[in-house]
Amino acid sequence: MTPQDGRAQPFVVLGVSAGIAAFKAVEVCRRLVDAGIHVAPVLTDRATRFVGKATFDALGSEPAQMSLWDEASPIPHTRLGQRADLIVVVPATADLLARYANGLADDLLTTTLVATAAPVVVCPAMHTEMWEHASVQDNLAVLRSRGVTVVPPAEGRLAGGDVGTGRMAEPSVIVATVLELLGRAGAEGHTGGGDGGDGLATGDLVGVRVVVSAGGTREPIDPVRFITNRSSGKQGHALAEAALRRGADVVLVTTTDRAVSDGVTVDRVDSAAEMEAAMFARSQTADVVIMAAAVADFRPKAAWDSKLHKVDGVPELLLEATPDILSELGRRRRKGQVLAGFAAETEQVSERAVAKLAAKGVDLMVANDVSAAGVGFDHDTNEVTIFGADGSVNGVPLRTKDAVADAILDRVCALLSAP
Ligand code: PMT
């Protein structure tokens, strides 16, 4: 057990309910403690069929609790509920969600959930049929309407060998969500591991050459006018900065003049043609290439050499398609290179992202629904689903673009270390 530092340390109740994903709660506990959080584990009786109380006794900041009745304090649930800065339930089973949504308080965990005013995060995990059941979705809708944060499950292999949606989010995503809600994003250094508390990465990308594109391209009409889009470059820059923190050698090909940390090599470009040239040159030696830029799909067939004037009449603008940089990167990529793109969509988001994943030959396609509040162009936050060519699907709830960048790099790291 780690020493308790007192109230300066955020106090998090880690609830564990009875699902096979309870083993991942062990990792969440360790990472939160490493990030300087005081973790008070609370297990349901049946959770201990999957993981032992002794494990949480050892890894948490105080002994794990399971009962309303066996503590010296007569009211452990109000002590925990009042003291908590946040409660996170890992995993949240269908049964736990139903009891919580209906205000049932028949064990220490549900009683604590009802006895708190702190933010609550639930991390559902269950079989696909249960996840899709109307009762589960209704209970989640109730909880969301009360301000509970739901970290959605991913698609993948489930207990028993089935494949589908219901696999609990990875500990890195859960921990990043918790730290962000506590206002301590980055306390882990990055979501892929601890950093000793100094905000610097332990370096799971040390020695890895990462190239990121950012911003919207500008396609000239004449020397003073151009066609562009709403991209601010924030998401691409966040990726470059996160990769740098994690130890990578980073090249950022960007259309914006946002400030960039020393250590990132910057190629400033304007048009799709310039971005294409920079990306092709830089990707030749890269281990990881991420196209976060919003490349214009169309450009004027020819730009005027001198400024157009109204008095000369309305010009006829002929457009042509720009080169698809990502598709070409997919064709040219080096053996072992990890390639990721983004899909900015407003409808049929998943379908279109999966279609782009296949068409462009990438390993990861990061879909954002840019019609949703706080998502995509120019916001400081983003909410994405990361589709993998291996069939994996990882949802990242609405978080800062820094946190989203780390979640994407977690997936990149997993691919780099895959056999
Ligand atoms: O920059 P921000 O304000 O922070 O906003 C972030 C973002 C919304 C721009 C980012 O999250 C995002 O979604 N970037 C991709 C935008 C886009 O162009 O999406 P798309 O679905 O049209 O393109 C799919 C992929 O192909 C993208 O990786 C794009 O970079 C690439 N592409 C597109 C066209 C083209 N001619 N060449 C390309 O390489």
Side-chain angles (χ1 to χ4, degrees):
M1 199 187 308
T2 56
Q4 190 173 335
D5 293 347
R7 291 300 285 140
Q9 237 185 338
F11 188 104
V12 167
V13 173
L14 171 64
V16 185
S17 68
I20 185 67
F23 76 93
K24 290 186 185 171
V26 175
E27 176 74 6
V28 171
C29 181
R30 187 191 63 75
R31 285 185 176 216
L32 287 175
V33 170
D34 284 352
I37 308 298
H38 181 100
V39 178
V42 172
L43 279 64
T44 65
D45 252 352
R46 283 177 294 173
T48 56
R49 290 181 179 257
F50 296 93
V51 277
K53 176 178 179 305
T55 307
F56 291 94
D57 287 344
L59 293 175
S61 310
E62 57 180 69
Q65 294 189 65
M66 297 180 54
S67 167
L68 282 159
W69 308 110
D70 59 9
E71 209 192 329
S73 153
I75 41 175
H77 57 293
T78 46
R79 177 186 80 83
L80 290 165
Q82 286 168 357
R83 183 135 190 238
D85 293 306
L86 184 145
I87 300 179
V88 56
V89 185
V90 187
T93 58
D95 175 70
L96 185 284
L97 293 170
R99 287 190 290 141
Y100 180 29
N102 288 286
L104 298 184
D106 54 358
D107 61 12
L108 181 57
L109 178 54
T110 47
T111 313
T112 304
L113 285 166
V114 174
T116 193
V120 174
V121 178
V122 293
C123 308
M126 61 199 74
H127 242 70
T128 309
E129 293 79 3
M130 294 173 76
W131 170 249
E132 289 172 350
H133 197 278
S135 63
V136 171
Q137 292 304 319
D138 287 351
N139 289 330
L140 285 167
V142 167
L143 294 174
R144 281 195 182 98
S145 73
R146 293 181 188 150
V148 171
T149 299
V150 178
V151 181
E155 192 178 310
R157 205 148 69 83
L158 305 167
D162 292 345
V163 174
T165 303
R167 197 171 72 163
M168 195 176 73
E170 289 307 308
S172 59
V173 173
I174 296 168
V175 169
T177 305
V178 168
L179 293 178
E180 191 164 333
L181 286 170
L182 290 169
R184 293 170 67 102
E188 241 201 338
H190 60 82
T191 55
D195 68 353
D198 59 3
L200 297 171
T202 49
D204 54 3
L205 287 175
V206 168
V208 176
R209 290 159 299 188
V210 175
V211 178
V212 182
S213 70
T217 63
R218 284 184 275 265
E219 310 304 328
I221 296 172
D222 70 8
V224 298
R225 301 180 179 90
F226 51 79
I227 296 173
T228 190
N229 56 63
R230 294 182 188 283
S231 171
S232 63
K234 288 177 187 172
Q235 185 62 79
H237 279 241
L239 275 159
E241 297 289 347
L244 181 74
R245 282 198 300 277
R246 296 167 78 140
D249 297 329
V250 185
V251 175
L252 175 63
V253 178
T254 180
T255 63
T256 83
D257 45 20
R258 313 183 73 79
V260 179
S261 294
D262 290 346
V264 173
T265 303
V266 179
D267 283 357
R268 268 282 287 121
V269 297
D270 237 26
S271 62
E274 288 173 15
M275 182 165 279
E276 179 187 35
M279 289 304 290
F280 287 171
R282 293 297 191 175
S283 63
Q284 280 176 30
T285 50
D287 303 303
V288 178
V289 179
I290 306 176
M291 280 292 294
V295 184
D297 285 319
F298 310 105
R299 65 185 170 200
K301 212 168 170 146
W304 276 265
D305 291 335
S306 55
K307 186 185 165 190
L308 293 165
H309 290 99
K310 255 195 309 205
V311 287
D312 298 327
V314 178
E316 218 161 87
L317 205 56
L318 271 181
L319 299 179
E320 66 177 9
T322 54
D324 189 325
I325 303 171
L326 186 57
S327 293
E328 188 55 32
L329 287 169
R331 280 187 284 275
R332 293 179 180 209
R333 73 163 132 170
R334 300 177 335 122
K335 195 165 179 294
Q337 187 179 70
V338 173
L339 183 59
F342 275 71
E345 307 293 349
T346 54
E347 51 197 359
Q348 295 179 297
V349 178
S350 302
E351 293 84 341
R352 290 194 166 152
V354 169
K356 283 181 183 173
L357 172 94
K360 297 185 187 245
V362 298
D363 298 300
L364 299 173
M365 186 55 79
V366 183
N368 32 200
D369 178 350
V370 293
S371 65
V375 176
F377 294 102
D378 202 26
H379 297 290
D380 293 328
T381 49
N382 210 357
E383 179 176 8
V384 303
T385 306
I386 307 170
F387 293 93
D390 58 1
S392 60
V393 184
N394 288 94
V396 184
L398 192 69
R399 291 165 38 194
T400 62
K401 284 184 171 168
D402 293 337
V404 169
D406 266 321
I408 295 166
L409 292 178
D410 284 348
R411 295 288 297 116
V412 166
C413 284
L415 288 174
L416 286 172
S417 57

